[in-house]
Amino acid sequence: VCNFVVHDRCLKTVVSPCSSIAASLIKNPVAHCWSEQTHQKRKFCNVCRKRLDDSLSIHCEVCEYYVHTDCQDFAVAECKENATYLPDKDLSLVHHQHHWREGNLPSNSKCIVCKKTCWSAECLAGFRCEWCGMTSHAVCHKQITGECTFGNLEPIYLPPHAVSIPRTEVPMEAIIGVQVRRRETMSRCDDSGSRVSAVMKRLSLVLPRSCKGNCHTSPPYMRARSISEEFSSGDTRYRDNDDYPHTREKGKEKEDRDEEIIKVYDGNGSFRRRIFRLICVSRQSTTEELLTAALREFRITKDPGSFYLTDVYASEVSRLGEVNVVDPLPVMSLHCKEGRRPAVFLRFRDRDNDSGEVRVYPGKLQVSEAYCTVPVNGETTIADLIRESLIRFGLENFECEQYRLSEILLDRGVTERVLSWDERPWEIVKQRGKESIRQMELMRFYLQLKQDPHGPNLALFVGNLPPNLSQRNYENMLTEFLGKENKFSSIGPIYYEYGSMVITYEDSNKAVRALYCLRESCYEDKHLLVMLLPNIEPSMVPPGVQPLLVFVNVKSGGCQGSELISSFRKLLNPYQVFDLDNGGPLPGLYVFRHIKDYKILVCGGDGTIGWVLQCLDNVGQDSECSSPACAIVPLGTGNDLARVLRWGPGYTGGEDPLNLLRDVIDAEEIRLDRWTVVFHPEDKADDKGQQPLNPSAGSTSEDNTQIFVMNNYFGIGIDADLCLDFHNAREENPNKFNSRLHNKGVYVKMGLRKMVGRKLCKDLHKEIRLEVDGKLVELPQVEGIIILNILSWGSGANPWGPEKEDQFSKPNHWDGMLEVVGVTGVVHLGQIQSGFRSALRIAQGGHIKIHLNSDIPVQVDGEPWVQSPGDVVVLKSALKATMLKKNKIKRRNTEPSILPANGEGGKSSDD
């Protein structure tokens, strides 16, 4: 069934369950977050155990689970459970267990028990804990006891027992913001309009903006399944229109060997969806052999006597209902349609089975049993089943009314339906068998407390509304989108300048309907952004742990953020990793608002870092931690702040993400001076065209005064002119600017054009007046002035130059001083960037005032525009930033494990 190969002498050491029973062994199933289809090298399928190299495959975005697309039907829903908060459980009583995953270990992995190599490049071998990275042989991992402590990443790990997500039908992909593209999947769908409409409606929680119906009256939805379950095919699972094209050549070979290929539908549901599996049997096979082959193909392990086969096409023409497949020569007796293979239904003998047994699982109830088996018959109700289950779990002293029972399907994900007390479980089982034998096999009942551990309040983040409206206007706008029946319980906080806010619901069904409706809503042809937010209970974060809030800008620099975000979701809790494409930094900062001490990792360029710091300024007063320390993974083009803080010139993709996180743990906190840049334009009748290209980067008062916060540098003249040309070119063709090398090449071309073209900034020293600390400074003949807070500019150049004996003190980024330098032209700029020359040192001080006599290009931290005449004042900001500076530690990749140095058998990989 699962291609497991083992020496005869090693048979007694086998601990891996066959894929036919693996799903039934899971106590608390968690659906995977599937990636797009791709080719993986040096990986093995966790279902069929074969290599992935030559076939399309998918993997989980949260754990190390890999499968062929053909094997996805039999993937086991055992992803990491990342939100396990229970309100009545004390932190001292929480014991986290290892979460083992077989195979696909990092190279050179060593067994924690016997210290021998436990990875293999030849087969699916060895086990690895998804939390702490501990690795071991299959036979050794059963000897490992004790709780999991998350390994080396424990100091920054957001523990699952501190996180809760609402008990709703919204899948994990929608909560953590995994981008799911379905174009390739949709192309495989049949042309039935009603089919597409129904599927789109069902998947709309994962795929935003797909609703075509009435959102206000939509019922609560079942948990949407992961990725392409509605359309994808298995290894022998095809659609009717794929029948002969897929199997024509194979069919001819089989016919020569007197064998027949038969389509098997496991129920009415698969027949409606035209999805089947193929079996190859001898034309002389008996009914028993045909039935055994069909059961094996669907991984059914129950007694074959409970099942039978019927002829699909004979049943279509028979007036007496379905025609059973019977001996003798059942294969030769099957009816065929022209151009199609013979087909059979796999059926459950429900008429002959008036009673049976069902399994009830305790979910998160604090009991020792993994499940209990309860006998049921046609008269048993859900209320009866709850009472009997409580007795078998030893909870007979509790009131039945405090609990509820859910039907859970593990077929291609995790689907949940809450059952009413008068429903009959055995009838549910039999009905499920009519629709799909596979679903009946994977169905189970779950006993849960009615009260959601998350609590009554569900928070939705809403963005893409117009900025700077009043609270009343926002409330009216949302009510118009939602309708009065889906109105929220409360609103706030509101982030006015971003047009974003958090709305809260006390009813989970109403919250899901609101999420659904708002995702379909538009304002000025722009769809609203809506996210269901998790909740963090700060009292459940262990002492000494500073959870790391990770922001990734997937569009920065070389667009390497998508690989990083996938790695961080696997190494950390995915609920602490946020994609800045989904609402920016505000959702993450809101989720972490009650944590007293945490760190931030920003993966992006200098502009992304400024964005995060700006949002921190706005929400800091409402948070327990007003100034968390920020580390950087440089994904941008310049990355000047990252260079100063030793995080490097740019992420290349070759660095191990695990080592990046360990560097964050070891980094030292350091202060970064921040400065306020105030622009006072002279009064003019028309100031059009003199505004920043990104107005949200600063604030504007009624007298047209503009205020910006500067972290790195402020340029006037030739430097800003080049920056403006580059910015305009990137805005026109953003897809071309996805490589650092290309971006720098564009800068060089523009500089060469400036050398031979009209000199806009010639004689700049005559057009401006400079005062530093109240003293007028005489300017040399320059075409540009740069005011520096950090000693890195233009992708790593140091305009201030090396230390030398002069009237200036040695600068740094926490001394409360700014450095003013001059540039004589484009050639001088190129020499500075090449390291051949330094800029002209002009002044050093803590308060700078500049008067502009004409329209001059300016830029603040890379944000350029043409500024009209007026005054510019740069003064120390009251806003503070705490940054993390990387320590000078070189690591060797001798140990792939993320175990702590003092862990069980672990070794330190520090020099």
Side-chain angles (χ1 to χ4, degrees):
V1 173
C2 70
N3 303 309
F4 193 95
V5 181
V6 64
H7 291 108
D8 182 57
R9 66 178 182 274
C10 301
L11 188 58
K12 62 183 179 181
T13 67
V14 174
V15 296
S16 306
C18 177
S19 60
S20 61
I21 64 167
S24 65
L25 301 179
I26 306 170
K27 181 180 178 182
N28 205 24
V30 179
H32 294 288
C33 289
W34 295 119
S35 69
E36 297 176 44
Q37 295 182 8
T38 184
H39 287 279
Q40 296 281 349
K41 292 185 178 179
R42 296 181 293 278
K43 299 290 184 183
F44 295 87
C45 177
N46 281 94
V47 173
C48 73
R49 311 182 72 86
K50 296 178 181 178
R51 289 185 185 274
L52 299 178
D53 296 19
D54 301 326
S55 306
L56 279 174
S57 63
I58 56 176
H59 65 274
C60 179
E61 295 277 2
V62 175
C63 70
E64 294 287 341
Y65 196 93
Y66 295 83
V67 292
H68 293 104
T69 52
D70 294 342
C71 297
Q72 188 185 356
D73 282 349
F74 300 109
V76 182
E78 54 168 346
C79 190
K80 293 190 297 183
E81 193 172 10
N82 301 289
T84 60
Y85 170 71
L86 292 174
D88 299 327
K89 197 161 188 177
D90 189 77
L91 178 60
S92 61
L93 300 178
V94 174
H95 301 290
H96 207 79
Q97 302 302 314
H98 294 288
H99 188 278
W100 296 108
R101 174 75 66 229
E102 185 177 13
N104 298 313
L105 270 59
S107 58
N108 301 321
S109 294
K110 299 290 182 67
C111 177
I112 197 71
V113 177
C114 67
K115 306 300 185 292
K116 296 179 182 178
T117 298
C118 60
W119 74 286
S120 172
E122 303 300 325
C123 62
L124 196 74
F127 278 78
R128 178 177 182 270
C129 175
E130 299 272 21
W131 299 114
C132 68
M134 182 185 291
T135 55
S136 73
H137 293 103
V139 69
C140 294
H141 98 277
K142 291 292 185 182
Q143 304 176 35
I144 300 172
T145 58
E147 61 182 301
C148 178
T149 58
F150 306 108
N152 267 334
L153 301 182
E154 182 184 15
I156 58 172
Y157 209 106
L158 178 63
H161 52 259
V163 185
S164 67
I165 54 173
R167 190 193 283 164
T168 67
E169 298 80 13
V170 182
M172 187 176 181
E173 292 99 319
I175 299 177
I176 67 173
V178 172
Q179 296 302 309
V180 182
R181 298 180 182 89
R182 300 176 184 272
R183 289 180 183 174
E184 299 84 2
T185 309
M186 290 299 295
S187 65
R188 278 186 268 165
C189 183
D190 56 48
D191 294 328
S192 168
S194 60
R195 170 72 188 144
V196 172
S197 176
V199 172
M200 292 292 283
K201 198 167 188 177
R202 220 173 123 181
L203 297 182
S204 60
L205 289 176
V206 181
L207 176 64
R209 301 180 283 282
S210 59
C211 175
K212 304 298 179 188
N214 185 346
C215 297
H216 299 294
T217 59
S218 299
Y221 296 92
M222 299 284 282
R223 182 178 295 277
R225 302 185 194 173
S226 299
I227 299 296
S228 54
E229 68 277 6
E230 295 294 341
F231 307 103
S232 68
S233 59
D235 53 342
T236 49
R237 176 173 175 168
Y238 304 105
R239 293 200 162 274
D240 273 353
N241 54 8
D242 291 337
D243 182 11
Y244 264 133
H246 251 344
T247 60
R248 191 185 302 275
E249 296 301 324
K250 288 184 179 180
K252 289 181 180 179
E253 296 175 8
K254 302 294 184 186
E255 287 169 5
D256 295 340
R257 300 205 303 262
D258 195 32
E259 293 179 339
E260 185 66 73
I261 296 177
I262 301 173
K263 299 187 295 186
V264 183
Y265 296 96
D266 73 331
N268 299 337
S270 60
F271 184 72
R272 284 195 302 270
R273 294 160 63 187
R274 297 291 187 263
I275 294 177
F276 54 87
R277 292 192 172 276
L278 297 177
I279 59 173
C280 177
V281 294
S282 168
R283 290 179 176 171
Q284 312 303 320
S285 297
T286 64
T287 303
E288 182 181 355
E289 291 170 338
L290 194 59
L291 178 61
T292 301
L295 290 172
R296 183 185 297 114
E297 192 58 51
F298 281 97
R299 308 291 204 270
I300 307 299
T301 58
K302 287 189 171 72
D303 179 13
S306 300
F307 303 91
Y308 65 100
L309 299 173
T310 65
D311 189 336
V312 171
Y313 299 131
S315 302
E316 288 182 356
V317 298
S318 172
R319 295 182 179 179
L320 301 177
E322 295 190 8
V323 178
N324 288 11
V325 176
V326 294
D327 289 324
L329 299 177
V331 177
M332 304 292 289
S333 303
L334 292 174
H335 286 65
C336 293
K337 275 190 174 182
E338 185 178 353
R340 294 193 174 184
R341 292 286 175 196
V344 296
F345 275 123
L346 178 61
R347 294 297 195 189
F348 177 62
R349 295 186 184 276
D350 53 353
R351 294 182 181 177
D352 302 332
N353 292 277
D354 294 329
S355 62
E357 293 180 335
V358 296
R359 284 183 177 180
V360 179
Y361 287 76
K364 296 182 180 180
L365 300 181
Q366 303 300 300
V367 296
S368 57
E369 296 89 348
Y371 61 86
C372 69
T373 303
V374 182
V376 293
N377 56 40
E379 301 301 318
T380 307
T381 64
I382 293 299
D384 299 330
L385 187 56
I386 291 176
R387 292 189 192 94
E388 185 62 29
S389 300
L390 288 174
I391 293 173
R392 292 174 184 254
F393 285 132
L395 301 173
E396 59 270 13
N397 295 329
F398 292 86
E399 295 290 334
C400 294
E401 290 74 15
Q402 297 177 7
Y403 295 86
R404 73 179 196 183
L405 202 69
S406 298
E407 175 192 7
I408 302 289
L409 293 181
L410 302 185
D411 180 32
R412 315 216 43 178
V414 179
T415 312
E416 177 179 3
R417 181 174 74 92
V418 180
L419 302 171
S420 61
W421 278 47
D422 57 350
E423 291 188 68
R424 302 185 185 278
W426 189 240
E427 292 301 319
I428 293 172
V429 171
K430 291 197 293 185
Q431 185 60 37
R432 187 60 61 190
K434 290 179 182 178
E435 287 296 302
S436 169
I437 297 293
R438 171 74 179 165
Q439 287 188 4
M440 183 186 76
E441 181 81 354
L442 294 176
M443 189 197 76
R444 55 171 67 175
F445 294 100
Y446 252 69
L447 188 64
Q448 298 173 313
L449 282 167
K450 282 186 178 179
Q451 184 180 358
D452 188 348
H454 179 81
N457 294 324
L458 285 77
L460 295 182
F461 179 87
V462 184
N464 287 349
L465 289 170
N468 299 317
L469 301 182
S470 67
Q471 177 173 333
R472 180 179 293 274
N473 284 339
Y474 283 130
E475 289 179 354
N476 293 338
M477 192 176 293
L478 290 173
T479 303
E480 184 178 342
F481 288 136
L482 293 167
K484 292 184 179 179
E485 65 274 17
N486 292 325
K487 194 170 189 293
F488 41 86
S489 305
S490 61
I491 186 171
I494 300 175
Y495 309 108
Y496 291 97
E497 60 184 283
Y498 299 98
S500 304
M501 65 217 63
V502 174
I503 58 176
T504 306
Y505 284 86
E506 295 179 358
D507 183 316
S508 61
N509 290 333
K510 190 183 288 188
V512 173
R513 290 197 299 269
L515 172 72
Y516 189 81
C517 290
L518 290 174
R519 286 198 170 185
E520 307 303 322
S521 304
C522 296
Y523 181 81
E524 294 183 350
D525 297 328
K526 192 174 183 180
H527 283 281
L528 300 188
L529 175 92
V530 194
M531 294 176 65
L532 179 63
L533 300 178
N535 185 58
I536 299 177
E537 175 53 51
S539 64
M540 298 301 286
V541 177
V545 172
Q546 296 174 283
L548 183 68
L549 173 57
V550 181
F551 291 120
V552 182
N553 188 346
V554 295
K555 294 181 178 178
S556 281
C559 294
Q560 296 155 318
S562 56
E563 296 176 9
L564 264 182
I565 198 169
S566 179
S567 297
F568 287 149
R569 281 177 177 144
K570 292 177 181 179
L571 289 168
L572 298 168
N573 191 321
Y575 293 119
Q576 67 186 111
V577 182
F578 288 81
D579 184 348
L580 290 175
D581 239 10
N582 297 323
L586 293 173
L589 295 174
Y590 176 82
V591 171
F592 272 61
R593 70 194 185 284
H594 292 318
I595 299 181
K596 293 183 178 179
D597 191 12
Y598 69 94
K599 297 179 180 179
I600 292 178
L601 176 62
V602 182
C603 306
D606 287 342
T608 305
I609 299 160
W611 185 17
V612 172
L613 292 178
Q614 182 186 17
C615 289
L616 267 174
D617 297 337
N618 292 330
V619 305
Q621 64 272 19
D622 299 323
S623 305
E624 290 287 336
C625 183
S626 59
S627 183
C630 299
I632 305 169
V633 175
L635 298 182
T637 302
N639 304 313
D640 290 298
L641 184 56
R643 294 169 193 264
V644 169
L645 298 174
R646 295 191 190 141
W647 294 105
Y651 178 75
T652 62
E655 299 92 330
D656 184 357
L658 170 60
N659 282 340
L660 293 176
L661 295 176
R662 295 172 69 187
D663 287 337
V664 172
I665 295 172
D666 296 333
E668 61 174 316
E669 292 189 5
I670 196 166
R671 196 180 78 239
L672 174 69
D673 286 341
R674 303 178 72 198
W675 302 83
T676 300
V677 185
V678 185
F679 293 89
H680 299 285
E682 293 177 352
D683 292 334
K684 277 190 176 182
D686 186 6
D687 271 345
K688 290 182 179 178
Q690 314 300 314
Q691 298 294 324
L693 295 175
N694 180 13
S696 65
S699 59
T700 305
S701 64
E702 293 181 0
D703 62 351
N704 284 332
T705 296
Q706 291 181 317
I707 302 174
F708 291 80
V709 176
M710 181 189 84
N711 301 310
N712 297 355
Y713 36 69
F714 167 41
I716 303 175
I718 186 64
D719 159 51
D721 193 22
L722 273 173
C723 187
L724 181 60
D725 287 349
F726 177 84
H727 186 97
N728 290 334
R730 183 163 59 178
E731 288 293 305
E732 290 177 8
N733 296 289
N735 294 331
K736 292 184 178 180
F737 291 79
N738 56 6
S739 160
R740 291 191 190 100
L741 189 60
H742 174 267
N743 294 355
K744 292 177 180 178
V746 172
Y747 258 117
V748 172
K749 289 180 184 177
M750 290 177 173
L752 293 174
R753 290 196 195 113
K754 295 290 181 187
M755 290 174 62
V756 298
R758 183 178 64 88
K759 298 186 184 300
L760 177 66
C761 304
K762 186 178 181 181
D763 297 329
L764 179 74
H765 59 288
K766 297 179 181 178
E767 298 296 327
I768 66 175
R769 185 179 74 249
L770 172 66
E771 292 181 16
V772 178
D773 292 337
K775 297 179 181 178
L776 186 64
V777 177
E778 185 177 348
L779 292 173
Q781 188 171 347
V782 292
E783 292 186 16
I785 285 178
I786 306 172
I787 299 173
L788 300 166
N789 182 42
I790 61 174
L791 295 184
S792 181
W793 163 91
S795 300
N798 180 5
W800 188 254
E803 190 174 353
K804 61 183 179 182
E805 293 293 332
D806 56 17
Q807 73 270 30
F808 302 112
S809 59
K810 182 179 178 179
N812 57 53
H813 50 76
W814 63 87
D815 59 1
M817 302 280 279
L818 291 169
E819 287 68 49
V820 184
V821 296
V823 180
T824 59
V826 175
V827 175
H828 191 189
L829 270 179
Q831 291 171 330
I832 294 171
Q833 288 196 314
S834 303
F836 295 140
R837 285 182 63 186
S838 301
L840 304 177
R841 295 185 179 181
I842 295 175
Q844 195 176 40
H847 187 281
I848 296 173
K849 184 176 181 181
I850 302 169
H851 181 76
L852 308 179
N853 296 326
S854 61
D855 291 349
I856 297 175
V858 298
Q859 61 103 345
V860 176
D861 286 345
E863 186 65 42
W865 69 95
V866 176
Q867 180 63 35
S868 58
D871 290 326
V872 183
V873 179
V874 185
L875 63 157
K876 186 75 181 290
S877 173
L879 303 170
K880 298 178 181 178
T882 305
M883 307 301 293
L884 287 170
K885 188 173 185 179
K886 181 180 175 182
N887 280 327
K888 291 183 178 179
I889 299 177
K890 292 185 178 180
R891 304 185 188 280
R892 291 176 295 142
N893 289 321
T894 56
E895 287 287 332
S897 171
I898 57 175
L899 285 172
N902 59 353
E904 294 178 67
K907 296 180 181 178
S908 172
S909 58
D910 291 356
D911 279 336

